[in-house]
Amino acid sequence: PTTITTTTPTPTPTPTIRIIDYEYAGLNRRAIDVANTFCEHCDMNNLKTDFHREYPDDAQQSLFLRTYVTIADPVLARRLTLASEKAKMDDYDYDEEEEDDHHHHHHGMNMNWEIFLTESQREIGKHALVSHLGWAAWSIA
């Protein structure tokens, strides 16, 4: 005869996740999340925040964005780096009178780090306003 033996498993605690901060849980445009990160760089617990001193300056934003893109999209980072190197070589080949015309034309055709960072910072700056609006709504909810 066949004997069937069953065992009752020892109960183990079920792991739980407790979400304590929902601000990045929704689907936002990337510029909104980065803008919110930059806004939080300021002392938001101080009712008299000095945004001009505490908000990341252009160099800090560029460092953050270069690092972010290098990790999040290494292929894009490499393309931007190659285009930047090409732009430097192309600009070196022209004299100063031709440089302004060539520089403008070249950048219109080829995205490099300089253009990418400038456009990203402008887009993020606009979305910082969305971050402030979101936190204002949160504070009265």
Side-chain angles (χ1 to χ4, degrees):
T2 303
T3 305
I4 299 175
T5 306
T6 60
T7 59
T8 306
T10 307
T12 58
T14 304
T16 59
I17 296 175
R18 181 173 301 173
I19 298 175
I20 59 170
D21 204 347
Y22 290 96
E23 66 191 282
Y24 297 107
L27 182 59
N28 280 325
R29 294 183 59 143
R30 192 172 305 180
I32 294 173
D33 287 340
V34 174
N36 189 59
T37 299
F38 289 170
C39 287
E40 288 189 348
H41 192 263
C42 303
D43 182 7
M44 302 305 273
N45 295 317
N46 179 354
L47 294 177
K48 294 182 181 180
T49 301
D50 185 355
F51 289 105
H52 294 291
R53 187 176 56 80
E54 297 173 353
Y55 194 84
D57 62 26
D58 288 345
Q60 292 168 321
Q61 290 179 38
S62 291
L63 176 62
F64 177 92
L65 292 168
R66 278 181 181 266
T67 304
Y68 180 89
V69 170
T70 299
I71 293 168
D73 193 343
V75 173
L76 174 60
R78 182 74 182 136
R79 280 196 339 240
L80 292 169
T81 299
L82 290 173
S84 295
E85 290 169 359
K86 183 177 180 335
K88 285 179 188 173
M89 292 303 293
D90 287 350
D91 286 347
Y92 181 75
D93 292 339
Y94 289 84
D95 65 24
E96 288 184 23
E97 290 178 15
E98 296 175 4
E99 184 176 338
D100 288 336
D101 182 50
H102 171 73
H103 195 66
H104 177 71
H105 176 70
H106 177 77
H107 284 213
M109 294 174 52
N110 198 357
M111 176 70 78
N112 61 38
W113 276 115
E114 180 183 352
I115 296 169
F116 176 83
L117 293 171
T118 300
E119 290 180 7
S120 296
Q121 288 171 343
R122 186 174 56 242
E123 188 74 14
I124 290 165
K126 292 179 200 175
H127 285 85
L129 301 172
V130 175
S131 175
H132 291 306
L133 182 61
W135 283 112
W138 172 84
S139 71
I140 58 175

